[in-house]
């Protein structure tokens, strides 16, 4: 969205489009940093979380100043922030490598718990939407949940039980 808006903003404010392009990379990249940090926070590994944040701050200043000193000017300053974002994301992935390598607990549950998972998933959806029964919860799950593995599996179980015809 920002890239398209940049086409109009660039001539209006007399800012080079390439600078706005680098800024859009920063905006998009900023959305990915909280993902590994959330995992680290959930694992209560606060030293790793703090060092990730500290690395980001130090890298932003260091890389940006280095690129500006090398003569890249504003492009170096913004480029340094983007480079530090990429490096910080890599550092955060190193901290969560054990999670990335582990198998899904849901996949290992087996058929014994599928019914319970289905019921809990649909009850949670029904509770969030204020509805009762399978159909309203199914409609919400169909709209938002097909990409979420346990919701998709719950829909498949409902289909196999004959409570819904398709999803």
């Amino acid at each position: 969205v920002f890239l398209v808006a940049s086409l109009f903003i660039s001539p209006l404010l007399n800012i080079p489009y390439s600078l706005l392009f680098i800024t859009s990379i920063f905006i998009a990249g900023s959305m990915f940093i909280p993902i590994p940090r959330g995992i680290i926070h959930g694992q209560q590994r606060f030293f790793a979380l703090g060092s990730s944040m500290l690395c980001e701050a130090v890298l932003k200043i260091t890389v940006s100043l280095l690129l500006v000193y090398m003569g890249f000017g504003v492009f170096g300053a913004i480029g340094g922030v983007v480079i530090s974002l990429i490096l910080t994301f890599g550092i955060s992935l190193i901290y969560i490598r054990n999670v990335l390598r582990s198998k899904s607990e849901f996949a290992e549950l087996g058929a014994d718990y599928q019914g319970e998972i289905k019921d809990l998933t649909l009850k949670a959806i029904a509770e969030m939407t204020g509805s009762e029964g399978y159909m309203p919860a199914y409609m919400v799950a169909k709209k938002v949940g097909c990409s979420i593995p346990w919701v998709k599996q719950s829909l498949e179980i409902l289909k196999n039980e004959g409570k819904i015809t398709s999803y």
Side-chain angles (χ1 to χ4, degrees), residues 10 16 38 54 61 74 81 89 94 103 116 128 130 134 164:
S10 178
L54 182 64
I61 293 169
V74 176
V81 171
F89 185 72
I94 291 170
K103 291 185 178 179
E116 291 177 31
M128 287 186 291
Y134 283 111
I164 59 174

Side-chain angles (χ1 to χ4, degrees), residues 25-44:
I25 294 171
F26 167 72
I27 292 169
S30 295
M31 294 179 203
F32 292 101
I33 291 290
I35 296 168
R37 285 191 181 158
I39 294 170
I40 294 168
H41 187 263
Q43 292 179 328
Q44 297 183 355

Side-chain angles (χ1 to χ4, degrees), residues 1 27 37-39 41 47 50-51 53 62 67-68 83-84 86 92 97 106 114 118 122 126 128 132 146 151:
V1 174
I27 292 169
R37 285 191 181 158
I39 294 170
H41 187 263
F47 180 79
S51 62
M53 291 177 170
T62 306
L67 290 174
V68 169
I83 291 169
S84 71
I86 294 167
S92 297
R97 67 182 172 272
F106 182 76
Q114 286 183 352
K118 171 204 63 165
L122 293 174
M128 287 186 291
E132 293 182 21
C146 285
V151 175

